[in-house]
């Protein structure tokens, strides 16, 4: 079954993943303009874009464990998924900047005074060099340093989940589930690295 699924995955072109992954953006914008996102469409649009970004980051983080433990090979889509995650984070930030806050001085004040925004901006800042270097030229140019640089993904995903937990009011289970999934995926990597270290020593 897994072999057949992997064979099918190899036949799926990467551009198709980009296409499918980008479709929610215009749909959400349409809903926001037509009242489909409720009484606060800007806030809802901002939330939906941010949640999509976090979901894509988690999918990207899950690719290696899926390959290692379930033998499901999605590696060919990891770059596309990472760039789509950055795309949605950038849109999330753009909606906040342009449609929500709008006043430049207020933007800076919010970044400094509201911890959840500070955490979110830190996650975005970490993702910028990852997106810029997500190409074959950067991989060849940076060599072994490229892999070390892209380990920032782990920190960015963790900060993204923390941003979600911090911004909600009161006790809500959804952001906690996202955080638990992120921590579980990161834990699998720590265990694997320890096992590899033990084998070498």
């Amino acid at each position: 079954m897994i072999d057949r699924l992997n064979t099918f995955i190899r036949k799926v072109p990467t551009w198709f993943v980009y296409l499918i992954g980008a479709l929610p953006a215009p749909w959400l914008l349409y809903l926001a303009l037509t009242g489909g996102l409720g009484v606060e469409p800007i806030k809802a649009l901002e939330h939906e874009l941010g949640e999509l970004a976090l979901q894509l980051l988690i999918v990207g983080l899950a690719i290696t464990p899926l390959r290692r433990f379930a033998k499901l090979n999605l590696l060919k889509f990891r770059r596309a998924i990472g760039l789509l995650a950055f795309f949605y984070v950038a849109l999330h930030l753009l909606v906040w900047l342009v449609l929500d806050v709008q006043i430049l001085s207020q933007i800076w004040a919010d970044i400094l005074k509201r911890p959840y925004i500070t955490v979110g901006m830190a996650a975005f800042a970490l993702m910028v060099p990852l997106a810029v270097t997500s190409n074959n030229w950067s991989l060849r140019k940076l060599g072994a340093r490229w892999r070390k640089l892209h380990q920032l993904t782990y920190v960015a995903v963790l900060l993204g989940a923390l941003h979600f937990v911090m911004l909600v009011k009161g006790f809500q289970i959804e952001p906690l589930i996202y955080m638990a999934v992120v921590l579980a995926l990161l834990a699998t990597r720590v265990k694997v690295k320890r096992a590899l270290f033990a084998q070498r020593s």
Side-chain angles (χ1 to χ4, degrees):
M1 180 65 180
I2 290 295
D3 290 339
R4 289 181 181 178
L5 188 55
N6 284 330
T7 300
F8 172 77
I9 288 169
R10 284 194 292 270
K11 295 178 181 178
V12 177
T14 305
W15 62 261
F16 184 74
V17 175
Y18 281 109
L19 178 63
I20 296 299
L23 284 178
W27 174 245
L28 287 171
L29 180 59
Y30 169 77
L31 290 177
L33 293 173
T34 57
L37 291 181
V39 294
E40 292 187 318
I42 293 175
K43 288 287 186 184
L45 179 62
E46 190 179 320
H47 171 80
E48 291 293 337
L49 291 169
E51 191 166 1
L52 268 170
L54 182 57
Q55 289 168 355
L56 285 165
L57 284 170
I58 289 173
V59 170
L61 194 63
I63 286 176
T64 297
L66 281 173
R67 183 174 180 237
R68 184 173 290 126
F69 301 116
K71 308 305 180 184
L72 185 63
N73 193 349
L74 298 169
L75 282 176
K76 66 177 289 187
F77 303 132
R78 183 156 59 185
R79 181 183 299 178
I81 291 169
L83 288 173
L84 283 167
F86 179 77
F87 168 68
Y88 281 105
V89 168
L91 287 180
H92 171 70
L93 179 59
L94 194 62
V95 170
W96 176 68
L97 291 173
V98 177
L99 300 179
D100 191 355
V101 182
Q102 298 181 338
I103 304 171
L104 186 60
S105 59
Q106 183 62 40
I107 290 169
W108 185 244
D110 281 352
I111 293 173
L112 293 177
K113 293 181 180 179
R114 298 186 181 184
Y116 75 90
I117 295 179
T118 308
V119 170
M121 289 299 294
F124 175 74
L126 289 176
M127 290 182 69
V128 171
L130 301 179
V132 170
T133 58
S134 288
N135 53 74
N136 293 332
W137 182 85
S138 295
L139 179 59
R140 290 193 301 269
K141 197 73 175 177
L142 294 173
R145 291 174 296 172
W146 187 91
R147 187 175 296 276
K148 290 183 179 179
L149 174 65
H150 279 252
Q151 288 179 349
L152 290 175
T153 303
Y154 309 146
V155 183
V157 179
L158 187 58
L159 290 177
L162 181 60
H163 170 71
F164 192 14
V165 170
M166 294 172 70
L167 71 85
V168 298
K169 296 178 181 179
F171 179 81
Q172 293 189 32
I173 192 66
E174 184 182 16
L176 296 176
I177 291 174
Y178 278 113
M179 176 60 80
V181 171
V182 169
L183 291 174
L185 289 171
L186 291 175
T188 62
R189 292 176 179 273
V190 172
K191 288 179 181 179
V192 168
K193 286 184 178 180
R194 285 180 178 175
L196 289 173
F197 179 78
Q199 288 177 1
R200 290 174 184 174
S201 58

